[in-house]
Amino acid sequence: MMTLRAKILWGFIALANLVAIVSGAAWYVGYIRAIDQVYARAQSDLALASDRLQAQLQRYQELAVLMSNHPDLVKLTKADATEADRQLAQDTLRAAADKTGAVTLVYIDRNAHVLASATPQVPRDIASSKYYVRAMTGALGVAHDYDPVFEMRSFYYAAPFFGADRRVSAVLAVVVDVGRIEARWRGTRPTVYFVDDAGEVFISNRSEILGWQRKKGQIGVHSQKANDGVFASSAVGNYEIWHLNWGQYVPETALHLATELPTIGLQAEALVDLGSARRITMLQTFIAGGSLLFFGTVVLFFVQRRHALAETNQRLERRVQERTLELRRAQDDLVRAGKLSALGQMSAGISHELNQPLMAIQQYADNAVAFMEKGRLDTVSSNLGQITSLAQRMARIIKNLRAFARNEHEPMGRVDVVGVVETAIELMQRRCDNDGIVIEWSPPDQPIYVVAGEVRLGQVVVNLISNAADAMVGQSDKIIQIGVDVSKTVQIWVSDSGPGIAEPEKMFDPFYSTKTVGDGDGMGLGLSISYGLVQSFGGDIRGENTGQGAKMTVELQPHHGGK
């Protein structure tokens, strides 16, 4: 059988496992919900950053479209254009560049010759550039690249100008400084970067990751330097989580978002810090797990306490059973002691009751012999009848004495209280006669049955008669009245004409007696034994003072039905 300590240990192990499972579930659910909130906010931040970049670039796109058919520039497409026209066009382009912040504006003919420029420097390899080739098809040309002439990351817009023959006569190219645009929102949150078709980080508000690339089949972006930055990716629900070591301004654990920007040929991506989400989730998990641990510990404490109390109760019950057996043995010993005490008090009367018939029997026998010799057979027959009567009386006395003295362990059953009272009176009659006590007893006309043990009930009645006799020692008028009343219960009462009960509350205490110590009249066990015996029948015994003596009443349950 498992000990209490082992039960407590296994209980804590089960509780710890439950706390771990619940905490893990709380962490996962809480983390997903926290990421949901971060994702909604991050989408807005990424959309805002994308719109801001596109809006800043769009003004240069509009500049290229609006300036492509400027009259000062259109003159350069004609055959009669002069140097003065060229100078005027350059002044116009320079003024536009100064007002918009463009790096330069270049006006190019259909043969890729520069007709005018806002700056002395112009992009090289114009004829093969994407923006020029695209513009020569009649569409708006857009491109980005690192410009070695201006030594900067540049964005290019090229707008075509259609001549009288409806062909592209010239192209106005606007060169934009990307670094100047970044300067306005560098360092803001969250980390945002824009990757081109080649997988290179071309624009970002974190300068440390500029130029990093994403090769085909890769997830993150990576530095070209060896061991520069650590990257790992995991999935939480439907979200992509990146684990990074890209510097102090880039979060170590971040939610990755991406959206395409086809108008500028880039993909916008954001890395949103999940530190706050992790801290909130950790706090929620700690609260959930701590609460469960606390309440689980309380419940486990009470459960284990209940088990401990149950085991303690079992031990106490075993001890109570053991003590009950001991008390029963002690009670049996007290009953036997009470019987011996009563037998001692009755011994003189019993001896007289037996000796008197024996002497009479001897006398009748001697007379029968004498009358037989004389032939007086009728007288002999009368003497023998007297001998028979006396022998039956002696047998009845011995039978009652043996029944009173024997140890009774048989179960309770139907007992005639009238017969029990008469037997007790017969046992005590001689003593009462010697003490001058008158017993007044009017037996009912028919038997009255109760639930009891016959021998034990007889001992109770003998004890009550004996106590009544003891109470009247030294008085002149000594009367004991005995009666049986029947109502809902059967009541046997014994009253005397003695001085009454001095301390009613103590009369059933063991060894309580009003007799002088050492006078040999008893140990004060009679009423205590009687109380225990009556209680074992399911009855009750009580005593009271009547004003003319004491009255003891035994109340028993009537017997209904069979034997």
Side-chain angles (χ1 to χ4, degrees):
M1 184 176 179
M2 187 178 295
T3 63
L4 179 60
R5 181 174 296 180
K7 290 180 180 178
I8 294 175
L9 177 60
W10 282 109
F12 273 112
I13 292 175
L15 178 60
N17 291 333
L18 179 61
V19 170
I21 294 172
V22 172
S23 298
W27 164 262
Y28 183 79
V29 174
Y31 197 34
I32 290 293
R33 291 182 177 178
I35 294 177
D36 288 339
Q37 298 176 0
V38 172
Y39 179 77
R41 187 170 58 252
Q43 276 189 314
S44 299
D45 292 341
L46 181 59
L48 180 62
S50 301
D51 292 344
R52 181 170 50 190
L53 175 62
Q54 291 181 102
Q56 289 174 328
L57 292 176
Q58 188 175 4
R59 49 196 296 248
Y60 296 104
Q61 172 187 331
E62 294 173 352
L63 174 63
V65 173
L66 294 175
M67 290 290 294
S68 63
N69 58 356
H70 194 282
D72 293 343
L73 301 180
V74 173
K75 290 181 181 180
L76 298 180
T77 61
K78 298 180 180 180
D80 57 351
T82 63
E83 181 63 26
D85 293 333
R86 180 174 176 275
Q87 188 63 44
L88 178 62
Q90 289 190 157
D91 292 341
T92 300
L93 293 176
R94 188 178 299 111
D98 292 341
K99 291 178 180 180
T100 60
V103 176
T104 188
L105 283 78
V106 182
Y107 201 58
I108 311 161
D109 64 12
R110 68 179 61 181
N111 297 317
H113 295 148
V114 176
L115 299 178
S117 174
T119 59
Q121 299 88 2
V122 295
R124 57 184 187 181
D125 300 328
I126 292 177
S128 58
S129 64
K130 293 181 180 180
Y131 59 89
Y132 176 76
V133 173
R134 175 69 173 169
M136 286 303 298
T137 63
L140 179 66
V142 181
H144 64 272
D145 201 355
Y146 179 81
D147 195 316
V149 175
F150 299 102
E151 297 182 345
M152 65 179 64
R153 286 170 295 126
S154 302
F155 219 94
Y156 305 93
Y157 282 104
F161 169 71
F162 296 92
D165 56 358
R166 297 185 179 275
R167 295 176 57 195
V168 178
S169 298
V171 173
L172 176 61
V174 178
V175 181
V176 182
D177 182 4
V178 173
R180 185 174 181 179
I181 295 176
E182 284 179 339
R184 299 179 183 180
W185 44 278
R186 184 168 293 164
T188 59
R189 294 180 181 274
T191 299
V192 179
Y193 57 93
F194 299 85
V195 182
D196 58 20
D197 295 338
E200 182 179 354
V201 177
F202 189 69
I203 305 174
S204 176
N205 60 355
R206 298 291 187 272
S207 59
E208 55 265 39
I209 64 174
L210 287 173
W212 288 27
Q213 291 185 344
R214 175 184 293 126
K215 296 180 181 180
K216 187 175 181 179
Q218 289 182 333
I219 298 177
V221 291
H222 305 270
S223 173
Q224 301 304 304
K225 300 178 182 179
N227 300 324
D228 190 2
V230 177
F231 173 83
S233 176
S234 63
V236 177
N238 296 324
Y239 300 110
E240 184 181 10
I241 309 301
W242 285 11
H243 307 278
L244 313 169
N245 183 18
W246 290 357
Q248 59 179 335
Y249 300 110
V250 180
E252 294 183 357
T253 302
L255 173 65
H256 175 251
L257 293 84
T259 184
E260 294 291 339
L261 303 178
T263 56
I264 59 176
L266 298 176
Q267 175 176 281
E269 300 183 21
L271 296 175
V272 185
D273 189 8
L274 291 178
S276 61
R278 291 169 65 89
R279 287 190 294 272
I280 293 174
T281 305
M282 184 67 72
L283 178 61
Q284 293 174 343
T285 303
F286 177 77
I287 293 174
S291 300
L292 178 60
L293 180 62
F294 173 76
F295 288 108
T297 302
V298 171
V299 171
L300 186 61
F301 170 76
F302 282 108
V303 169
Q304 298 303 330
R305 183 179 181 184
R306 183 175 180 181
H307 289 170
L309 289 175
E311 292 184 359
T312 302
N313 288 337
Q314 291 177 355
R315 289 195 297 270
L316 289 176
E317 287 177 359
R318 288 194 296 269
R319 292 181 181 178
V320 168
Q321 292 174 355
E322 294 172 357
R323 295 295 175 86
T324 302
L325 291 175
E326 293 177 0
L327 289 174
R328 286 178 179 173
R329 297 191 191 100
Q331 186 181 25
D332 292 341
D333 292 340
L334 288 176
V335 170
R336 285 193 292 272
K339 288 181 178 181
L340 292 175
S341 176
L343 287 172
Q345 295 179 24
M346 293 186 296
S347 60
I350 293 171
S351 176
H352 179 78
E353 288 291 335
L354 293 178
N355 285 331
Q356 187 181 28
L358 282 174
M359 292 175 64
I361 288 172
Q362 183 179 3
Q363 185 177 357
Y364 280 123
D366 292 340
N367 290 339
V369 173
F371 285 126
M372 187 178 294
E373 291 175 355
K374 294 179 180 181
R376 297 176 60 181
L377 298 179
D378 55 342
T379 305
V380 172
S381 177
S382 177
N383 286 346
L384 291 177
Q386 291 293 334
I387 291 173
T388 300
S389 177
L390 292 171
Q392 290 175 348
R393 178 184 175 190
M394 291 177 62
R396 188 170 64 254
I397 292 172
I398 293 172
K399 176 184 177 182
N400 290 336
L401 185 62
R402 290 178 61 188
F404 181 79
R406 76 170 182 262
N407 232 351
E408 180 189 14
H409 293 288
E410 57 193 19
M412 294 186 300
R414 188 178 71 166
V415 176
D416 177 17
V417 296
V418 177
V420 170
V421 172
E422 290 183 340
T423 299
I425 291 174
E426 189 171 3
L427 289 172
M428 297 297 297
Q429 186 66 57
R430 186 60 187 173
R431 181 201 167 180
C432 291
D433 292 343
N434 291 337
D435 292 344
I437 298 173
V438 177
I439 297 179
E440 295 181 354
W441 157 247
S442 298
D445 297 334
Q446 58 186 4
I448 299 174
Y449 297 106
V450 295
V451 179
E454 183 174 2
V455 175
R456 287 176 285 174
L457 182 57
Q459 183 178 351
V460 171
V461 178
V462 168
N463 286 339
L464 295 182
I465 296 174
S466 176
N467 284 347
D470 292 339
M472 295 184 294
V473 173
Q475 293 184 187
S476 57
D477 297 330
K478 303 176 183 179
I479 300 174
I480 295 178
Q481 295 177 320
I482 304 175
V484 177
D485 297 332
V486 179
S487 57
K488 291 183 179 179
T489 58
V490 177
Q491 299 177 357
I492 307 171
W493 54 270
V494 177
S495 65
D496 60 59
S497 57
I501 305 171
E503 296 177 289
E505 69 279 1
K506 294 183 179 180
M507 61 182 173
F508 295 116
D509 293 348
F511 305 106
Y512 171 73
S513 176
T514 58
K515 302 164 190 172
T516 304
V517 177
D519 61 7
D521 288 335
M523 299 181 293
L525 295 173
L527 286 179
S528 177
I529 293 172
S530 298
Y531 179 84
L533 293 175
V534 174
Q535 290 288 322
S536 70
F537 304 152
D540 190 21
I541 182 171
R542 59 183 180 272
E544 58 184 333
N545 291 318
T546 63
Q548 298 178 350
K551 181 179 180 180
M552 301 298 298
T553 302
V554 176
E555 188 173 359
L556 301 170
Q557 295 297 322
H559 186 277
H560 303 286
K563 297 181 179 180

